[in-house]
């Protein structure tokens, strides 16, 4: 086999066509951008969101791609199991899980209630655990099983009025690396995508005065997800960082 033939074979095995992906929090923002990018790459997409109407809007925006909308509360085991079952019933299998759903409470620590703290931890950290446990049996049966955890520069440094968010994202990064070490024995790859600030409702709804030049288009992060998924057999990117050039929160 020539070098060119070997390279072509590697490229073929790294392609994403026909893989089935379930994306949480895909009703808007980075989740929607990821659905668009992966659908464009030929993947079949399960658009999952706690707001069904937002999931339906994302499917409509995919312009005829093979996609389905499902209602999902990542905090609930039954909801997670239902989303995975719906994916398998619709497409016959599940190859990729993107844990994207997230929330925050912008409040000083001494003003935050236990319920507010718990909601952030439940969505941002317990949610990926619940979803991964539900999806792992299907991912183990896939020849290209992959979990992508969307974390944040909040897992690398800290700022004020975000203690619960930092705790959840540092925890998610640690979970992702530990899961990488454990799941590779089953042939399942795990990638943490560390995202900087993006021009999404998650930031702009709360901080409308933030300079747009300090934020990136969420499609940049979505393309980083695609890049991780396109690596050839036997290769994994455990952690990948993508952030706007002028982001003020890094380093």
């Amino acid at each position: 086999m020539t070098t060119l033939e070997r390279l072509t074979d590697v490229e073929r095995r790294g392609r994403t066509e026909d893989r089935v992906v379930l994306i949480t929090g895909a009703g808007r923002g980075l989740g929607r951008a990821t659905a668009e990018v992966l659908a464009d790459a030929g993947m079949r997409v399960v658009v999952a969101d706690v707001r069904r109407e937002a999931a339906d809007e994302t499917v409509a925006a995919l312009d005829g791609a093979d996609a389905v909308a499902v209602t999902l509360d990542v905090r609930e085991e039954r909801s997670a199991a239902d989303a995975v079952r719906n994916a398998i019933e619709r497409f016959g299998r599940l190859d990729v899980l993107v844990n994207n759903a997230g929330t925050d409470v912008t409040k000083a620590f001494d003003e935050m209630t236990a319920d507010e703290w718990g909601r952030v931890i439940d969505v941002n950290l317990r949610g990926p655990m619940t979803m991964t446990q539900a999806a792992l049996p299907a991912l183990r049966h896939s020849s290209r099983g992959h979990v992508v955890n969307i974390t944040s520069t909040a897992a690398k440094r800290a700022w004020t009025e975000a203690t619960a968010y930092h705790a959840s994202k540092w925890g998610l990064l640690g979970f992702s690396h530990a899961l990488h070490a454990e799941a590779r024995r089953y042939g399942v790859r795990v990638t943490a995508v560390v995202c900087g600030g993006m021009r999404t409702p998650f930031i702009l709804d709360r901080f409308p005065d933030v300079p747009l030049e300090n934020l990136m288009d969420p499609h940049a992060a979505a393309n980083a997800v695609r890049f991780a998924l396109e690596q050839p057999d036997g290769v994994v990117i455990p952690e990948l960082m993508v952030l706007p050039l002028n982001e003020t929160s890094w380093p």
Side-chain angles (χ1 to χ4, degrees), residues 110-209:
D110 59 357
E111 298 174 358
M112 184 174 293
T113 68
D115 285 344
E116 289 171 331
W117 176 279
R119 177 170 62 83
V120 174
I121 299 298
D122 278 353
V123 173
N124 295 0
L125 186 54
R126 179 177 176 175
M129 180 277 291
T130 300
M131 289 303 305
T132 303
Q133 283 196 329
L136 197 55
L139 299 180
R140 289 178 63 176
H141 280 89
S142 168
S143 61
R144 300 284 294 173
H146 206 136
V147 177
V148 178
N149 294 311
I150 302 298
T151 184
S152 163
T153 50
K156 296 291 186 176
R157 57 155 296 167
W159 49 88
T160 63
E161 284 77 49
T163 50
Y165 189 70
H166 283 293
S168 68
K169 291 301 185 179
W170 280 69
L172 181 57
L173 185 59
F175 166 72
S176 192
H177 282 299
L179 186 64
H180 155 69
E182 195 166 317
R184 61 188 172 187
R185 69 182 67 161
Y186 311 122
V188 175
R189 297 183 290 182
V190 181
T191 300
V193 178
V194 180
C195 298
M198 292 172 280
R199 295 191 291 272
T200 64
F202 184 78
I203 290 181
L204 294 176
D205 284 356
R206 295 179 297 144
F207 309 108
D209 296 328

Side-chain angles (χ1 to χ4, degrees), residues 5-249:
E5 288 172 332
R6 286 196 296 270
L7 288 173
T8 302
D9 186 54
V10 165
E11 291 169 353
R12 178 185 62 79
R13 286 180 285 132
R15 291 168 67 180
T16 55
E17 282 90 338
D18 296 325
R19 270 190 265 175
V20 179
V21 56
L22 191 162
I23 306 170
T24 72
R28 63 178 187 169
L30 176 57
R32 179 174 292 186
T34 302
E36 292 171 348
V37 166
L38 297 185
D40 187 63
M43 297 185 71
R44 293 174 285 176
V45 184
V46 181
V47 176
D49 201 280
V50 70
R51 299 152 302 164
R52 177 56 184 265
E53 66 278 7
D56 288 334
E57 289 171 2
T58 295
V59 170
L62 296 182
D63 193 25
D66 199 355
V68 62
V70 299
T71 305
L72 169 66
D73 186 337
V74 298
R75 300 169 296 180
E76 301 293 336
E77 292 181 11
R78 179 173 294 180
S79 185
D82 287 345
V84 171
R85 185 181 67 252
N86 286 336
I88 295 171
E89 289 177 352
R90 171 65 182 267
F91 296 117
R93 67 178 192 272
L94 179 63
D95 303 296
V96 180
L97 169 66
V98 179
N99 286 312
N100 166 75
T103 190
D104 189 14
V105 174
T106 304
K107 186 179 287 188
F109 175 70
D110 59 357
E111 298 174 358
M112 184 174 293
T113 68
D115 285 344
E116 289 171 331
W117 176 279
R119 177 170 62 83
V120 174
I121 299 298
D122 278 353
V123 173
N124 295 0
L125 186 54
R126 179 177 176 175
M129 180 277 291
T130 300
M131 289 303 305
T132 303
Q133 283 196 329
L136 197 55
L139 299 180
R140 289 178 63 176
H141 280 89
S142 168
S143 61
R144 300 284 294 173
H146 206 136
V147 177
V148 178
N149 294 311
I150 302 298
T151 184
S152 163
T153 50
K156 296 291 186 176
R157 57 155 296 167
W159 49 88
T160 63
E161 284 77 49
T163 50
Y165 189 70
H166 283 293
S168 68
K169 291 301 185 179
W170 280 69
L172 181 57
L173 185 59
F175 166 72
S176 192
H177 282 299
L179 186 64
H180 155 69
E182 195 166 317
R184 61 188 172 187
R185 69 182 67 161
Y186 311 122
V188 175
R189 297 183 290 182
V190 181
T191 300
V193 178
V194 180
C195 298
M198 292 172 280
R199 295 191 291 272
T200 64
F202 184 78
I203 290 181
L204 294 176
D205 284 356
R206 295 179 297 144
F207 309 108
D209 296 328
V210 64
L212 294 182
E213 62 269 22
N214 291 345
L215 304 174
M216 63 184 173
D217 186 321
H219 290 84
N223 277 305
V225 174
R226 176 177 176 175
F227 175 74
L229 296 177
E230 288 179 337
Q231 296 308 300
D233 291 346
V235 176
V236 62
I237 300 176
E239 182 178 331
L240 178 62
M241 182 182 294
V242 55
L243 61 160
L245 181 63
N246 294 321
E247 177 165 326
T248 56
S249 65

